[in-house]
Amino acid sequence: MSIPVGLQVYSIRDDAQKDFAGAMRQVKEMGYDFVELAGLYGLQPEEIRRALDDCGLYALSAHVPFVELADDIVRAARDYAVIGCRYVAIPYLTEDLRPREPGFQQVLDGIPAFAEALGEKGITLLYHNHDFEFVRMEDGSYALDYLYARFSPAQLQTELDTCWVKVAGEDPAAYIRKYAGRCPVVHLKDFYKEGQTADMYELIGIQAEKKEKPAGVFEFRPVGHGMQDMPAIVSAAKESGAQYFVVEQDSSVGRPPMEAVRMSREYLRTLGL
């Protein structure tokens, strides 16, 4: 079974910002089937749709910040429906909204309204994890499981980020199987980690409070060029009903982002994707 492979545009955000249409043409030429948006790069929804149509891509999904959804969910649903998205994902929670913080209740309260408004446009709501969801809640469960347990699959589906699952100390393949039938979109992300490091979020543009950092190395890598067992992850996803794979590389070390995402696509061909 062949599963379509897309690219999270955040991986090439600078290129997309400079020339969205040109960047999308390059992505198509690499052999990607679709993209997942992370912003609109100064364009209107109709312009995004036109650029993708022109080069033969489509926007399967989009990462839309929680605060943007909360500010005007009706507009967000309308805009991403115009683009043609089938999924919208909550991509990240700021510290005040995270599990075990008072603001987490805002997230729990917001999801039903988001799901309803998006559903009216034929869009399914996803949640994209990092590693901070792997803290224990009062009932002993991980916050990520606590979140999914509170909503039906019709309201909220998973978008498991396999890098952050592994960084949190869990097995990505096993976690995908845990949500079999509820994992339509799986993020394929590779990395290299050595020792203890505290600057992982700085690599995705989030500045932490300056403090003494433990010695260590962490860097994102092209898929198949890091520490992840990608064949096991891909097999688990297929067995669990995944319908789409999304390549994401938050930052690129030692090579241009376009080269990195090309390497990821080439590697996935060796797995029959």
Side-chain angles (χ1 to χ4, degrees), residues 1-271:
M1 177 182 67
S2 181
I3 296 179
V5 176
L7 178 68
Q8 168 50 259
V9 181
Y10 187 77
S11 309
I12 55 164
R13 53 195 175 277
D14 292 340
D15 297 275
Q17 188 68 44
K18 292 174 185 175
D19 179 5
F20 183 81
M24 294 304 98
R25 287 193 295 270
Q26 291 185 64
V27 170
K28 177 63 177 179
E29 289 166 2
M30 291 177 196
Y32 285 96
D33 300 299
F34 63 89
V35 295
E36 179 175 72
L37 297 171
L40 300 183
Y41 306 96
L43 302 174
Q44 294 300 311
E46 295 81 2
E47 295 174 303
I48 294 284
R49 179 66 177 264
R50 190 178 312 117
L52 293 171
D53 287 346
D54 286 348
C55 69
L57 287 171
Y58 62 95
L60 172 79
S61 48
H63 279 190
V64 185
F66 177 85
V67 291
E68 185 176 331
L69 296 175
D71 181 60
D72 194 342
I73 183 58
V74 173
R75 177 179 178 179
R78 181 181 66 243
D79 286 351
Y80 288 98
V82 167
I83 293 169
C85 292
R86 304 172 205 172
Y87 301 94
V88 161
I90 298 171
Y92 178 80
L93 297 178
T94 53
E95 290 188 18
D96 59 309
L97 295 174
R98 291 180 188 176
R100 302 206 312 210
E101 295 294 333
F104 188 56
Q105 189 60 47
Q106 296 178 43
V107 178
L108 300 179
D109 292 342
I111 284 174
F114 298 168
E116 181 178 1
L118 292 167
E120 290 175 357
K121 297 292 187 180
I123 300 172
T124 299
L125 181 64
L126 308 174
Y127 183 85
H128 168 269
N129 64 279
H130 287 75
D131 64 335
F132 54 75
E133 294 89 353
F134 289 87
V135 296
R136 298 291 181 181
M137 301 298 283
E138 295 81 358
D139 63 0
S141 67
Y142 280 137
L144 188 63
D145 300 316
Y146 180 94
L147 177 70
Y148 285 126
R150 268 143 187 78
F151 302 102
S152 71
Q155 291 175 302
L156 187 66
Q157 297 270 305
T158 76
E159 183 176 57
L160 292 173
D161 185 300
T162 55
C163 167
W164 292 115
V165 172
K166 183 70 172 178
V167 167
E170 293 293 334
D171 175 12
Y175 231 84
I176 290 168
R177 288 191 173 94
K178 184 175 186 176
Y179 286 99
R182 197 177 178 178
C183 58
V185 185
V186 173
H187 263 214
L188 302 181
K189 186 189 295 185
D190 218 335
F191 69 98
Y192 177 80
K193 185 176 185 290
E194 182 178 310
Q196 296 297 314
T197 178
D199 64 353
M200 292 180 288
Y201 284 101
E202 291 185 10
L203 292 173
I204 58 175
I206 298 165
Q207 297 299 317
E209 180 182 347
K210 295 299 180 182
K211 56 187 176 181
E212 186 177 349
K213 298 175 182 178
V217 175
F218 182 93
E219 63 183 43
F220 298 105
R221 297 262 181 100
V223 174
H225 296 266
M227 303 175 73
Q228 293 274 50
D229 185 348
M230 282 298 166
I233 288 171
V234 168
S235 293
K238 288 182 175 181
E239 293 167 10
S240 301
Q243 300 171 44
Y244 305 95
F245 288 126
V246 173
V247 167
E248 182 179 36
Q249 186 173 344
D250 301 71
S251 64
S252 179
V253 177
R255 59 177 62 89
M258 279 291 186
E259 180 183 341
V261 299
R262 185 185 301 277
M263 291 171 63
S264 292
R265 189 66 191 94
E266 291 172 351
Y267 169 76
L268 289 173
R269 287 194 183 95
T270 71
L271 301 184

